[in-house]
Every structure is written in C-alpha cells, then in structure tokens.
Amino acid sequence: MTYQKQVNVLGVSLDPANMEQAMAAVRQLLDQGQKGFICMVGVHGVMEAQRDSDLAAIYDAATLMLPDGMPTVWVGHWQGFDEMRRVTGPDLMLEIFRRPEFSSVRHYLYGGKSGIAEELKQALTRRFPHAQIVGHYTPPFRELNVQEWEFLRSEIQRLKPDIIWVGISTPRQEKFMYHALAGLDTTLMFGVGAAFDYHTGRIKDAPEWVKTIGMQWLHRLIQDPRRLLARYLRNNPAFVGKIILQLLRGTSQKVQQPVITDPREYKLAVKAVKHSRQ
C-alpha cells in the first residue's frame, strides 16, 4: 500500500493511516517480501527531527510512517484526512501477534534492559500460543561494536525472522533500523519504543478515554517523572506553538535533510528501502 498524499507535521511526512490500513500494508509488504522499516511517530519524534537532520532524513526513507499519538492525528484531521487514527507501537505489535493472518510470521525481539526481551517473549507466548518468536537480543546502550554486530547478523541469518521488533527508544531505534536493515536477513523492522515495557507490565497502559483526549503523555509522566519531565517540557509547548504557526501559515515545508554520508551501511540501507518502495 502506497499513500499518494501524506500528512505534514512540521515537515515530517506521516501516512494518513488507521490500524486496519496499517495491517493491510504490513501484510502486503510481508507477502511480497519487500524489505523495509516502519516508524511510529508522535510529538517526541517530530520534535527530535527538528533538531536532528539525520533523523529527518531517516524518516523520509521509512517504508511506513504511522501516527503515534493523538496530536499527530489531529493535525491529519485538520489537513483533511478524516480516516486517520492513532497507531501506536504497542497496539500495532499486539494486533500483529493477535491476528490469524500473521500466525506464520517469525518474530525477533531486539531491545529492552537486561532480561526484558526474554520476559516479553514469555508474556507474548502465553497470550498468543501460536506466536513464533525465534529469538531475542538485549543490546548495550550504545552502538554495537564489530563483534556484537557480527553476532547479531549471524544469528538473524540463522533464524531468518520475518519481523524484527526494535524497542530502544527514539531516535536510537530509527537510526539502528536505518543502519542495519540492508545487512540483516529479515523483511521488516518495526520501531516500537516502549512496547517492551508495556507488554511486560513495567508501564501501565492508559485507559482508552485518556488516549482519545490526547493525555496519554500525562499518564506516562505520572509513572516516570524523573525521565520524562524534561522531555515533555522541552517538546510539548514547542510542538503546540510550531503547529499553530504551521496551520496559520498553511505551510508545508520539509525539514532540511542533508545526504548522510557516514557509514557504508547507511547507503546500503537507503538503497534497499527505496527499492522496496518502488
């Protein structure tokens, strides 16, 4: 599924999707064996892209850019995409594990603190006995060194998962997927942020009505104020101000995106992702 028109959220282009459309797009990508990486983008990701032009370029190369949070959905509605709905990483992950049409899909879990990926595998297997979770890896809180990368590459080559779930937070997870995609024997990579913590009970999910009114951020802040307070103070007021200006001006300027010329894998990943979108 290719969206001809996209939602512009401060220069970040999002696909105007809802959960059913996202599921159809994922199924199509898997059926066709098209390599790609999928991002769920909310206020945090949009604001990080304002400050980090590499992240903005990575978002531009993503196979799907899904709306994670009500503020991005509201912007989509204001731009005329009435069917757009919230598609969060935790929710999308559960939908793929739950639906029978994905029962043959092989999964790999990458992320979390020590022991969380194994715990997540157990939790998902209990909830979805048909799930084929073929492996997991807890990375260090830094870029992989040569030995660690080679271990991961060889394990993925041996296990051949269809999907790698990446839960190491934004922007680390997006940069990892962009960097690693071409070198791993998998089809799709999903950046799902805090999904590992949600589905192992470390973070309590907000009631649906709290999500609908766009206050899930406050629910999370109450649970983890030390880590999230500075982020929200930095991002949320700035987002509101910039969005109001965008709507008043009716602008649709893209974030400036210089060509990334760093590691060789970045170039290979871009080539693979662009090929998958043709």
Side-chain angles (χ1 to χ4, degrees):
M1 176 180 294
T2 300
Y3 291 90
Q4 299 300 320
K5 296 182 179 180
Q6 293 186 311
V7 178
N8 177 350
V9 185
L10 302 182
V12 176
S13 296
L14 301 184
D15 294 306
N18 54 45
M19 184 62 77
E20 291 304 317
Q21 292 167 336
M23 290 295 98
V26 171
R27 184 69 267 174
Q28 179 179 322
L29 290 168
L30 289 171
D31 289 345
Q32 296 178 355
Q34 294 186 20
K35 287 177 73 73
F37 66 97
I38 295 166
C39 302
M40 270 59 69
V41 186
V43 170
H44 176 54
V46 169
M47 296 309 295
E48 285 292 322
Q50 308 301 300
R51 298 181 283 263
D52 185 344
S53 56
D54 283 357
L55 177 61
I58 289 168
Y59 279 158
D60 196 51
T63 309
L64 285 174
M65 289 279 287
L66 299 174
D68 186 346
M70 287 306 299
T72 55
V73 172
W74 291 332
V75 174
H77 290 175
W78 289 329
Q79 294 180 14
F81 298 100
D82 295 336
E83 294 186 0
M84 188 174 177
R85 296 292 184 271
R86 185 182 70 250
V87 184
T88 70
D91 289 346
L92 180 142
M93 189 178 195
L94 283 188
E95 282 298 301
I96 289 179
F97 273 93
R98 179 180 68 82
R99 297 192 180 205
E101 62 265 34
F102 294 98
S103 60
S104 62
V105 170
R106 294 165 61 83
H107 304 269
Y108 190 91
L109 308 175
Y110 180 95
K113 296 178 181 178
S114 179
I116 291 181
E118 171 63 27
E119 188 176 335
L120 177 60
K121 176 182 178 180
Q122 295 173 1
L124 290 172
T125 302
R126 285 195 300 269
R127 189 168 181 178
F128 308 106
H130 62 272
Q132 299 185 52
I133 303 175
V134 298
H136 57 83
Y137 182 69
T138 300
F141 194 74
R142 54 167 170 75
E143 291 187 8
L144 300 181
N145 61 34
V146 174
Q147 292 77 19
E148 291 161 346
W149 166 254
E150 182 56 32
F151 169 80
L152 177 65
R153 188 199 63 78
S154 61
E155 183 170 56
I156 296 301
Q157 186 175 25
R158 176 176 61 87
L159 297 172
K160 292 180 169 49
D162 302 295
I163 291 175
I164 299 177
W165 299 97
V166 183
I168 54 177
S169 77
T170 297
R172 286 181 64 227
Q173 64 190 13
E174 288 80 11
K175 293 183 177 182
F176 171 74
M177 293 189 296
Y178 184 61
H179 176 89
L181 176 63
L184 296 177
D185 188 6
T186 190
T187 303
L188 296 179
M189 301 178 76
F190 289 78
V192 292
F196 285 37
D197 289 326
Y198 273 106
H199 298 322
T200 56
R202 285 170 172 77
I203 296 176
K204 294 181 180 179
D205 201 4
E208 191 61 31
W209 70 267
V210 173
K211 298 178 183 178
T212 301
I213 64 172
M215 296 299 288
Q216 188 175 12
W217 65 271
L218 181 59
H219 189 269
R220 283 205 61 192
L221 177 61
I222 293 171
Q223 297 183 67
D224 193 2
R226 180 177 298 181
R227 188 174 68 88
L228 296 178
L229 180 60
R231 176 198 294 183
Y232 290 154
L233 287 176
R234 184 185 189 194
N235 287 337
N236 292 12
F239 177 84
V240 172
K242 287 177 178 289
I243 280 293
I244 290 174
L245 287 176
Q246 177 183 315
L247 295 173
L248 290 176
R249 294 172 178 171
T251 56
S252 59
Q253 295 179 349
K254 294 288 291 180
V255 177
Q256 293 299 313
Q257 299 171 359
V259 176
I260 297 176
T261 58
D262 237 1
R264 181 182 303 175
E265 288 84 353
Y266 270 41
K267 295 182 180 180
L268 295 174
V270 173
K271 183 178 179 181
V273 172
K274 288 184 175 178
H275 176 73
S276 74
R277 299 178 73 177
Q278 293 176 352

